[in-house]
Amino acid sequence: QVQLVESGGGLVQAGGSLRLSCTASGRTFATYTMGWFRQAPGNEREFVGYISWGFGSTYYADSVKGRFTISRDNEKNTVFLQMNNLQLEDTAVYYCAAGRNPYTSGAHQGAYSSWGQGTQVTVSS
């Protein structure tokens, strides 16, 4: 198990940017795939993107591709979600997650064993 603490959410105007951070405990952070998910009001939790362990390859949902960027700093046990050109549809609670399930794609919730508490991102017009 790894404990995750998020920060960086807030209110931003459409077209603006935010950077979310997720800091994890544990010496084995670098071996985990780190994912980001979000849940909008009335909707189910949906995949945003992930960054893998090892080579650090990334993958994004089509809805955020080209606007959001995931990175990680293994020395600081932190993963980031840089969100640019935010739109009203991006309003949601954003969750980071950690997992190392070798049989499940990082785009699926089943790949993750630990979740952060969530941080609210609200985009205004």
Side-chain angles (χ1 to χ4, degrees):
Q1 289 289 320
V2 57
Q3 302 299 121
L4 306 175
V5 179
E6 301 178 355
S7 63
L11 176 66
V12 65
Q13 189 175 8
S17 299
L18 283 175
R19 189 181 75 160
L20 306 184
S21 299
C22 176
T23 299
S25 63
R27 298 189 304 274
T28 59
F29 172 79
T31 69
Y32 283 81
T33 293
M34 299 297 299
W36 287 95
F37 292 77
R38 66 187 183 185
Q39 187 167 13
N43 292 348
E44 298 296 318
R45 189 176 300 178
E46 66 175 348
F47 169 72
V48 175
Y50 71 81
I51 183 167
S52 67
W53 68 275
F55 297 122
S57 58
T58 56
Y59 182 81
Y60 303 93
D62 289 341
S63 59
V64 306
K65 193 175 301 181
R67 298 187 297 120
F68 291 10
T69 303
I70 299 173
S71 61
R72 66 191 300 167
D73 185 338
N74 291 334
E75 293 185 355
K76 297 181 178 179
N77 283 359
T78 301
V79 62
F80 304 95
L81 179 64
Q82 178 67 47
M83 304 183 293
N84 297 327
N85 192 24
L86 284 161
Q87 304 298 311
L88 296 177
E89 295 76 19
D90 297 316
T91 294
V93 177
Y94 283 72
Y95 300 88
C96 66
R100 46 184 176 183
N101 188 336
Y103 307 111
T104 305
S105 167
H108 296 94
Q109 296 183 47
Y112 302 96
S113 58
S114 300
W115 293 82
Q117 80 286 355
T119 184
Q120 177 70 48
V121 172
T122 302
V123 184
S124 63
S125 61

